[in-house]
Amino acid sequence: MVDVRAPAEYAQGHIPGAHNLPLFSDEQRAAVGTTYKQEGRQAAVQLGLELVGPRLGELGGRLKGFAKQSPGQPLRLHCWRGGMRSESVAWLARQLDLEVNLLLGGYKAFRRWVLDSFETPWPIHLLGGRTGCGKTDLLLALAAQGGAVIDLEGLAHHRGSSFGSLGMPPQPSSEHYENRIAMALHQLQGAGQIWLEAESAQVGRCRIPAGLWKQMQQAPLLEIRRPLAERVEQLVAVYGVQDQHALKEATERIARRLGPQRTATALEAIAQQQWGKAALQMLDYYDRCYDHELERHGQHGGHRLLGHHDLEGLSAEAAAKQLIDSGAIRAHGRSAA
């Protein structure tokens, strides 16, 4: 899959797995657009030819390189609407005897498919549990053992709290986050249960698509529980290795919600690298938030709450096996973690 739109368009959102081969740079695309508005189509096409002409050899070389990566398969080209940009690059590919397919409707058509997919009913099930229970690790272990799983935090490159970006790659845009979720759902068609972590509507700067969020609000929820000591140990393992200054800044961001006393205690513990003590201050706040959300989730019918499972002392892999063996979670045979 070759996306010939400009780099800024590609960065905003693209078909997952597509390679970017921009016909124009961001500045060139803007110049062509301005020329089209001010002088008309013919002048814009002429400018485009002048800009692209010196790069034909480079573009051809990259097309041949993409073709070598998937021998026997056609190159699948697209731009925004399947117009002149993709048609021009397709012409170049054909001059090099490369087989080409054009994506009908371009990226715009893909985006319509993405947004429509969130209005489709899915068998969504939620995995809940207080902070530090290892929900993400458990979801990944479930996926490895045949559970149908979508890791919303992994797709967002964020763990969901004020501290969630620490040690993670840059987040995608909300648009591209939607693209990644839609593709993950598509891979799980036919599953009887699709398990997601019980999240807030916002995962860092990425927003869960409205249609999916609405289904999550109505979905049954299975709660997992672990003792406080295990939860603290989990948080220390994840965050104790992070930059001390970044931990301080993340704590200060939620100072109003923590309160002055807990904030001061947490900051002092971070300064002294007493990670367990710092984690305890955070858990007091996050536990109250989680308990409130759990209560609200079950307000409109007890069928939304599937009960709880105590996973004390179990690794993520052992816990996943126990949940599958007990029938609490149904294995599917495919995963999208």
Side-chain angles (χ1 to χ4, degrees):
M1 182 74 72
V2 181
D3 184 335
V4 303
R5 295 176 303 147
E9 295 175 281
Y10 179 85
Q12 176 64 24
H14 55 269
I15 299 175
H19 299 279
N20 190 208
L21 179 62
L23 186 63
F24 299 124
S25 68
D26 296 328
E27 295 77 17
Q28 290 171 339
R29 173 175 171 260
V32 170
T34 300
T35 301
Y36 183 88
K37 289 178 183 177
Q38 295 178 350
E39 302 178 40
R41 182 181 184 278
Q42 188 178 61
V45 171
Q46 179 63 38
L47 176 58
L49 291 171
E50 293 171 4
L51 293 172
V52 172
R55 296 184 54 234
L56 286 178
E58 173 211 340
L59 292 169
R62 290 194 63 190
L63 286 169
K64 289 190 289 185
F66 290 140
K68 286 179 181 177
Q69 293 179 30
S70 53
Q73 297 294 321
L75 292 174
R76 293 168 292 170
L77 297 178
H78 73 86
C79 54
W80 168 236
R81 286 179 296 195
M84 282 193 67
R85 286 185 289 179
S86 56
E87 289 174 357
S88 299
V89 178
W91 171 86
L92 177 60
R94 292 186 186 110
Q95 306 315 302
L96 297 169
D97 298 323
L98 301 176
E99 188 180 355
V100 176
N101 286 340
L102 290 180
L103 178 61
L104 185 64
Y107 177 70
K108 185 177 181 180
F110 172 75
R111 281 294 296 166
R112 283 198 300 269
W113 174 82
V114 166
L115 297 177
D116 287 346
S117 71
F118 300 129
E119 303 305 320
T120 300
W122 296 94
I124 300 297
H125 288 60
L126 301 181
L127 187 69
R130 288 179 164 186
T131 300
C133 282
K135 296 183 290 294
T136 298
D137 290 345
L138 178 56
L139 283 171
L140 296 179
L142 285 166
Q145 296 182 37
V149 165
I150 296 177
D151 180 7
L152 292 175
E153 293 186 354
L155 294 176
H157 297 163
H158 200 281
R159 298 186 187 91
S161 72
S162 175
F163 302 84
S165 64
L166 302 184
M168 300 290 280
Q171 285 199 267
S173 68
S174 281
E175 179 180 311
H176 192 54
Y177 186 49
E178 292 173 348
N179 295 345
R180 299 182 80 183
I181 294 173
M183 292 293 282
L185 282 169
H186 179 67
Q187 292 168 16
L188 295 174
Q189 289 186 99
Q193 300 174 345
I194 298 177
W195 287 89
L196 287 63
E197 183 171 338
E199 297 281 0
S200 301
Q202 200 87 11
V203 187
R205 74 175 187 183
C206 293
R207 190 161 193 84
I208 293 175
L212 179 61
W213 174 247
K214 189 182 301 181
Q215 294 188 52
M216 290 172 66
Q217 295 296 97
Q218 304 297 321
L221 182 148
L222 178 69
E223 183 185 20
I224 61 169
R225 295 179 180 177
R226 289 188 183 273
L228 180 61
E230 288 188 12
R231 294 165 57 213
V232 170
E233 183 180 355
Q234 168 79 5
L235 292 176
V236 170
V238 172
Y239 295 107
V241 296
Q242 305 301 333
D243 177 74
Q244 195 168 333
H245 181 69
L247 286 168
K248 177 177 177 291
E249 287 185 336
T251 302
E252 290 171 340
R253 280 197 295 270
I254 56 171
R256 288 181 61 185
R257 286 171 280 175
L258 285 176
Q261 185 174 343
R262 277 197 300 272
T263 300
T265 302
L267 290 174
E268 181 183 357
I270 290 170
Q272 297 176 0
Q273 299 186 8
Q274 296 177 340
W275 310 125
K277 184 178 180 181
L280 283 170
Q281 307 309 310
M282 312 302 168
L283 285 177
D284 183 69
Y285 162 69
Y286 283 114
D287 283 357
R288 285 185 285 111
C289 292
Y290 170 74
D291 292 346
H292 174 71
E293 289 298 321
L294 182 66
E295 180 182 354
R296 200 172 72 173
H297 194 82
Q299 277 177 354
H300 303 291
H303 67 280
R304 293 191 190 174
L305 301 179
L306 300 176
H308 65 269
H309 281 256
D310 190 339
L311 305 180
E312 180 176 2
L314 296 177
S315 66
E317 293 72 24
K321 185 176 186 305
Q322 182 183 97
L323 290 171
I324 291 173
D325 289 348
S326 70
I329 290 179
R330 193 183 312 163
H332 172 59
R334 289 182 289 173
S335 65

